[in-house]
Amino acid sequence: MRYAILSDIHSNLVALRAVLQHMESAGPIDEVWCLGDTVGYGPAPNECTDLMRSYEHVGIAGNHDWAATGRLDTSEFNPDASDAALWTSRVLSDENRSYLETLPLTTVRGHFTMAHGSPRNPIWEYLLSERVAAASFEHFETTFCLVGHSHIPLLFHEDVQGNISFQRLPLDQAFRPGRGRWILNPGSVGQPRDGDPRASYVMYDASSGEFHQYRVSYDIEATQAEMLRLRLPQSLSERLSHGW
Ligand code: ZN
């Protein structure tokens, strides 16, 4: 069984299509696991949600999904993110709004717990330090926890003695986790923030037990042109070129 682990698509249809094409070129996908923030920031919230819903998938809610459906007050966002969230909420179809509203905050699939920010605070917490990772390991029972939200691919390990360490996810090579428990962030499809503007995702092959992180080039200018046409905030468009 092959599982695609995606997060933070952020209404970037060109990036999402490039990622789906890349993963399917290596063989069929059994299920897509989407770690939240399918919408927000970008120009194609309905198209991205429709495309995600057309796949066999497991989804959870992110803060931008909640903002788009009115469950979260956008005053908590910076002004550009708030403008984009209000625009998203205006254009979202009733069907996609209902779909996003039904997404749970966390879910468990076999050995995997999924939460957008962290298992302790799925909507808001950024899981970027060993200190937050240590607290997070106390909030899930499975071997793995998959998170998004920071848009940065990373890996935390808790060894059998309970020591926590940070690791970078290896790129373009298989990663086979050893003993202990793991927190993994696949990075962001639609708005990477680690200095590499290419779309990021992770494949998990259940038969070999291996994870594989990929970066996929996409037509960034096509997404930017669409954002310009829709008058979405310029800073949100520019950041795509830089990957932050
Ligand atoms: Zn996000």
Side-chain angles (χ1 to χ4, degrees):
M1 299 280 273
R2 295 175 76 234
Y3 300 93
I5 307 172
L6 311 186
S7 193
D8 297 279
I9 296 163
H10 282 298
S11 302
N12 189 338
L13 182 65
V14 187
L16 177 59
R17 280 194 179 136
V19 160
L20 293 169
Q21 190 178 19
H22 183 268
M23 63 177 67
E24 286 175 328
S25 69
I29 303 298
D30 292 288
E31 207 165 69
V32 176
W33 294 345
C34 180
L35 307 177
D37 281 5
T38 301
V39 303
Y41 293 133
N46 284 311
E47 294 83 348
C48 287
T49 310
D50 288 342
L51 190 51
M52 188 47 54
R53 290 172 58 208
S54 73
Y55 278 78
E56 200 65 52
H57 75 284
V58 174
I60 54 171
N63 51 322
H64 285 262
D65 305 317
W66 268 28
T69 57
R71 288 180 83 166
L72 197 73
D73 187 348
T74 56
S75 64
E76 309 254 8
F77 284 13
N78 69 54
D80 285 344
S82 171
D83 285 354
L86 292 171
W87 176 84
T88 302
S89 135
R90 276 203 306 278
V91 301
L92 209 55
S93 69
D94 290 344
E95 211 178 311
N96 284 333
R97 187 184 313 277
S98 309
Y99 164 79
L100 293 174
E101 276 170 353
T102 62
L103 292 175
L105 280 181
T106 62
T107 195
V108 175
R109 188 93 170 87
H111 299 299
F112 294 83
T113 298
M114 304 179 205
H116 181 64
S118 77
R120 177 167 72 170
N121 181 346
I123 284 293
W124 282 121
E125 189 164 51
Y126 286 95
L127 209 169
L128 287 165
S129 66
E130 289 174 355
R131 186 181 57 80
V132 177
S136 298
F137 277 110
E138 293 175 16
H139 284 79
F140 67 97
E141 309 284 323
T142 52
T143 306
F144 299 96
C145 181
L146 305 175
V147 299
H149 195 42
S150 68
H151 300 202
I152 295 173
L154 46 75
L155 201 55
F156 288 97
H157 180 223
E158 181 194 55
D159 70 17
V160 287
Q161 278 87 39
N163 302 307
I164 313 291
S165 61
F166 164 78
Q167 298 179 20
R168 276 202 84 86
L169 253 179
L171 186 58
D172 288 329
Q173 53 177 297
F175 165 70
R176 187 193 288 265
R179 293 171 64 199
R181 297 197 303 151
W182 301 84
I183 296 170
L184 182 151
N185 187 325
S188 167
V189 171
Q191 193 200 76
R193 291 182 191 162
D194 61 346
D196 182 343
R198 295 175 298 168
S200 182
Y201 80 98
V202 166
M203 282 296 310
Y204 170 61
D205 187 330
S207 53
S208 65
E210 287 177 345
F211 295 81
H212 211 127
Q213 191 214 349
Y214 295 101
R215 300 306 283 254
V216 184
S217 299
Y218 72 96
D219 188 350
I220 294 174
E221 288 175 11
T223 295
Q224 290 171 324
E226 194 57 8
M227 292 177 78
L228 186 67
R229 187 181 74 77
L230 295 165
R231 299 209 177 101
L232 286 163
Q234 199 180 349
S235 68
L236 299 180
S237 166
E238 279 170 5
R239 67 188 300 174
L240 297 177
S241 300
H242 308 292
W244 52 262

